[in-house]
Amino acid sequence: MAVGIFDSGLGGLTVLNAAQARLPELDFLYFADSAHAPYGVRDAEDIYQLTRKAVHTLWDSGCNLVILACNTASAAALRRMQEEGVPKGKRVLGVFVPLIEALTERQWGDNSPPREVEVKHVALFATPATVSSRAFQRELAFRAIGVDVEAQACGGVVDAIEDGDMILAEALVRSHVDALKRKMPDPQAAILGCTHYPLMEEAFQAALGPDVKVYSQGDLVAASLADYLTRHPDMLGDGAGGYLTTGNPSRVSDRATQFLRRQISFKAA
């Protein structure tokens, strides 16, 4: 019984790793659209078409439930996919929900009016496409008032991570944090709004300082998934687990093994 996890590349492995630790009895089918990564510099229509194709591949592979472990896809494609109709017995969910639940300390099903929350100044680090979509700010506004969100587009970080150049990725993180702090000198919280970024969480925390609470998505999404499946056990599909990629399986496998520090073998999608 497999749950599908989709990402433009390898960033979603941070969600997969947390989900496997939280739900060891489940199989997961991971799809990396590595041939078209990164999504963060693409336009919304392109992101939608690529995401839709990948999600349908996972549905056709026996996954009733697919998690978009990609903030860019969640921002640019999720709402449109849901509005255009999802096949009966299938679901596609994004990764913003658990973040906003944690930040606002209210459940997604809580439809009461927006209210003030403790955190007032939030830094959002994300890809250019996620920043331009303003999807995070829109969803947050439904649940909280009086929260100032300063977004920083982190160009180049995903490319460096996908290339395995962590020295460059760390330098870029410091540069982007410096740019953010020129606009918002004293953020109370920071959202790592790309599932690649938890791989650089220590670099973000070091650059931001110890007083800034950093929200990373892996554990939050895994906990939310566990709760969802408890309430919707029929969403467990009959497909098998594994790893698929549109890129070079050997190269992607090597990078994934490096990231997770355990053997990962991708097959061609």
Side-chain angles (χ1 to χ4, degrees):
M1 298 185 292
V3 171
I5 295 184
F6 166 70
D7 187 54
S8 61
L10 298 178
L13 291 173
T14 59
V15 171
L16 173 70
N17 203 41
Q20 288 176 324
R22 181 69 180 250
L23 299 162
E25 72 280 7
L26 291 188
D27 288 328
F28 293 89
L29 182 58
Y30 185 90
F31 187 114
D33 191 14
S34 306
H36 303 105
Y39 277 17
V41 296
R42 294 180 176 274
D43 63 44
E45 180 63 25
D46 200 13
I47 295 166
Y48 169 75
Q49 294 296 341
L50 290 169
T51 301
R52 184 180 183 278
K53 181 178 180 181
V55 169
H56 276 268
T57 296
L58 288 167
W59 281 338
D60 292 342
S61 299
C63 298
N64 291 342
L65 174 64
V66 174
I67 306 298
L68 299 186
C70 174
N71 288 268
T72 301
S74 294
L78 177 60
R79 175 172 289 190
R80 181 173 166 187
M81 286 191 68
Q82 292 173 334
E83 289 175 348
E84 292 187 356
V86 172
K88 184 178 180 180
K90 306 292 185 184
R91 294 289 186 277
V92 56
L93 303 174
V95 288
F96 283 147
V97 172
L99 267 180
I100 294 174
E101 286 179 340
L103 186 65
T104 61
E105 297 184 345
R106 60 188 289 185
Q107 294 301 306
W108 197 251
D110 181 352
N111 293 317
S112 60
R115 60 175 181 260
E116 290 195 4
V117 294
E118 183 176 350
V119 176
K120 301 296 184 184
H121 305 287
V122 177
L124 170 65
F125 297 97
T127 66
T130 298
V131 169
S132 64
S133 76
R134 293 189 60 81
F136 179 82
Q137 292 92 321
R138 182 177 63 245
E139 297 293 347
L140 179 63
F142 287 135
R143 290 154 186 87
I145 57 176
V147 181
D148 179 21
V149 178
E150 189 65 60
Q152 176 64 34
C154 298
V157 174
V158 171
D159 302 84
I161 292 173
E162 290 281 333
D163 289 339
D165 191 342
M166 298 316 217
I167 294 175
L168 174 59
E170 186 171 342
L172 288 168
V173 166
R174 290 196 299 268
S175 175
H176 290 308
V177 171
D178 286 345
L180 181 285
K181 293 181 80 170
R182 286 195 290 271
K183 298 178 287 184
M184 179 182 278
D186 297 303
Q188 296 169 280
I191 301 295
L192 302 189
C194 171
T195 48
H196 283 76
Y197 297 173
L199 294 165
M200 305 304 300
E201 184 173 352
E202 291 183 5
F204 275 103
Q205 187 73 73
L208 286 162
D211 295 332
V212 179
K213 181 173 177 57
V214 175
Y215 288 86
S216 186
Q217 289 176 307
D219 290 339
L220 293 174
V221 172
S224 182
L225 174 60
D227 176 68
Y228 182 87
L229 290 174
T230 298
R231 291 181 287 113
H232 303 280
D234 55 313
M235 282 294 100
L236 287 173
D238 57 6
Y243 301 86
L244 301 173
T245 181
T246 57
N248 181 305
S250 177
R251 180 180 181 278
V252 175
S253 297
D254 288 344
R255 289 281 183 254
T257 297
Q258 176 186 352
F259 289 159
L260 295 187
R261 295 184 176 87
R262 55 187 171 88
Q263 187 62 45
I264 304 293
S265 296
F266 278 81
K267 296 180 180 179

